[in-house]
Amino acid sequence: MSATVLSGKEPAAAIRAETAARAAELAASGTHPRLAVVVATADESSAWYVRSIARAAEKAGIACDIVDLGSDASARDIRHRLAVLSADESVHGVILQTPLPEGAKLEDLASAIAPGKDVDGANPLSLGRLAAGLPAFAPATAEAVVTVLDYHGVELTGLHVAVIGRSTVVGKPAAHLLLDRNATVTVCHSRTRDLAAVTSAADVVVAAVGRAGLITAEHVRAGAVVVDVGTNPTDDGGLVGDVDAASVAEKAGALTPVPGGVGPVTTALLLRHTVQAAAR
Amino acid sequence: MSATVLSGKEPAAAIRAETAARAAELAASGTHPRLAVVVATADESSAWYVRSIARAAEKAGIACDIVDLGSDASARDIRHRLAVLSADESVHGVILQTPLPEGAKLEDLASAIAPGKDVDGANPLSLGRLAAGLPAFAPATAEAVVTVLDYHGVELTGLHVAVIGRSTVVGKPAAHLLLDRNATVTVCHSRTRDLAAVTSAADVVVAAVGRAGLITAEHVRAGAVVVDVGTNPTDDGGLVGDVDAASVAEKAGALTPVPGGVGPVTTALLLRHTVQAAAR
């Protein structure tokens, strides 16, 4: 048995195409969608990711400003810049890139991003509104999990989904989105006892821990659907997920690849959110 | 076998005593803690609950204003009153009581409660901050679940907790508080397939659905700890939980009673939050 590959490329392409069309309409009516990405790190993989967002944005007809504050920026500098961008009418979406300088906390700083421009759902108000069932931008990675499953026809109602990882940017918002889709959701983490027993009771496993190859065949029930959110850089410049694909693919029914799974959908959703913000 | 009774009376009394002492200190220094409860319903059990809060507040040295807008109040009226109370420096805590008039939604209206006065954690920003690990008032009922378990020495780290119910006021915030305590958390609800199989895999079951007697012995593993959040009025003026106590007590290791379990702790926590808000 070998798992079906749940590619993210096709849904990402469809979202980018729809977004480009909407961006062109907005531009024709005088609104030029613009995204600002605030960076305060010298981290190489972060820089690579930000450039990939900028390229994708430009292809979709969205201007993208990379606002590099340097890795010695203070929390105060970052917060101030986020507030300035939030008040700038020509900017429709604002993202604060991680990692951040020592002592700066994403959840805290992101409260300076206006909720209407918070296209990566980083402001705690966005998370609270999401949890409360009110309109809000979800963190793009968390939304990408559900989007990939939708695209490949996984009907979530009544399924038991194990989310591994309880971060504010992925695990927790993904849990809320999955609950909204009527899945039964278990959130596991580093302190979970007998992780394999818990996750192999689930129909769907979402791995969002940030540790290469942590999830192996023993964590997955035969035929389960596995979504790999991990993007762990390898020494040779590549990217691997949290799932040990070689072993899991022999047991799971379906698996998202890394790269080419959740990642491209995440980027496409950031662009969609920016155009949605611009359309308001 | 008969389950240990996890009473809420003792922890509630301890919290009320500590709160009364703190309220007296504040009063001595010129700050008189004051709670406002906004009501827009003719519901009898709601009125009973509000009177019980007011009595408990007065005993603890906290003034309590019941602001009755009538059951025909519009969402706009309610929102306006919440904003006025939020701006009133003599008021330290603001609660919006449910049920609300047709068309008015708690999560939406509660965004008009200033986060610093949101002593029942109803503003979506409070929930988002809670989920993000930032300081915020938790909904008192959700916090009462963890408080009762703490008081009775249930060490949550590594335990598997099944929360039945995904409401914004109990199930979801309880899940976040339990995750913060390093429990593995499964959120179940009306669309969960084979609820009994899911909940009987858990070490702790938290019932927060609002249906009398829904949880029976088949939902609970032998020796499990069961927290009953339900407060369902009976025809004869009594109160019963979501748990069928007669059958569950024969199988569970421990069970919170209704009344006298989560309820009194909830009220005590509302008072504690009010005094904390006044102390700022």
Side-chain angles (χ1 to χ4, degrees), chain B residues 177-211:
Chain B
L177 291 170
L178 292 160
L179 278 174
D180 272 356
R181 303 297 292 276
N182 296 316
T184 299
V185 180
T186 298
V187 182
C188 312
H189 44 76
S190 56
R191 307 298 287 273
T192 292
R193 280 187 205 151
D194 200 351
L195 179 66
V198 175
T199 57
S200 56
D203 303 299
V204 179
V205 174
V206 177
V209 275
R211 275 213 276 158

Side-chain angles (χ1 to χ4, degrees), chain A:
Chain A
M1 179 167 158
S2 191
T4 304
V5 176
L6 303 181
S7 169
K9 289 181 185 171
E10 298 76 16
I15 294 165
R16 286 197 306 266
E18 164 220 301
T19 299
R22 191 83 188 87
E25 283 172 25
L26 284 166
S29 66
T31 300
H32 297 272
R34 178 176 293 273
L35 172 67
V37 184
V38 174
V39 177
T41 175
D43 182 77
E44 245 320 298
S45 60
S46 170
W48 181 90
Y49 177 63
V50 170
R51 283 193 300 269
S52 80
I53 293 175
R55 273 195 305 274
E58 278 151 32
K59 278 190 198 162
I62 298 169
C64 182
D65 301 334
I66 300 173
V67 182
D68 192 344
L69 303 180
S71 57
D72 57 351
S74 68
R76 192 193 157 116
D77 293 341
I78 298 170
R79 176 176 278 277
H80 176 253
R81 189 58 69 100
L82 295 173
V84 167
L85 291 165
S86 290
D88 182 339
E89 287 191 6
S90 74
V91 173
H92 306 102
V94 179
I95 298 172
L96 176 57
Q97 180 61 20
T98 54
L100 291 167
E102 185 99 9
K105 198 178 171 196
L106 176 68
E107 293 82 353
D108 197 15
L109 293 177
S111 62
I113 302 175
K117 300 187 179 185
D118 184 27
V119 294
D120 202 15
N123 185 329
L125 178 56
S126 298
L127 179 55
R129 290 182 60 89
L130 192 74
L134 297 170
F137 289 120
T141 307
E143 187 177 343
V145 170
V146 174
T147 303
V148 170
L149 292 171
D150 278 346
Y151 180 83
H152 291 284
V154 177
E155 174 48 65
L156 286 163
T157 292
L159 292 191
H160 189 167
V161 182
V163 176
I164 313 171
R166 56 178 159 172
S167 73
T168 309
V169 290
V170 190
K172 286 174 180 173
H176 285 295
L177 292 169
L178 292 160
L179 277 175
D180 273 355
R181 303 296 294 275
N182 296 316
T184 299
V185 179
T186 299
V187 182
C188 312
H189 44 77
S190 56
R191 307 297 286 274
T192 293
R193 280 187 204 151
D194 200 351
L195 180 66
V198 175
T199 58
S200 57
D203 304 298
V204 179
V205 175
V206 177
V209 275
R211 275 213 277 158
L214 181 76
I215 305 307
T216 60
E218 65 156 347
H219 293 89
V220 174
R221 151 158 119 196
V225 174
V226 180
V227 179
D228 191 351
V229 181
T231 51
N232 307 292
T234 57
D235 290 342
D236 61 356
L239 209 60
V240 294
D242 293 343
V243 173
D244 175 35
S247 82
V248 169
E250 292 304 309
K251 193 169 178 192
L255 171 63
T256 66
V258 176
V262 170
V265 180
T266 299
T267 306
L269 288 171
L270 285 174
L271 305 183
R272 176 192 269 172
H273 291 176
T274 303
V275 165
Q276 288 171 335
R280 281 177 191 165

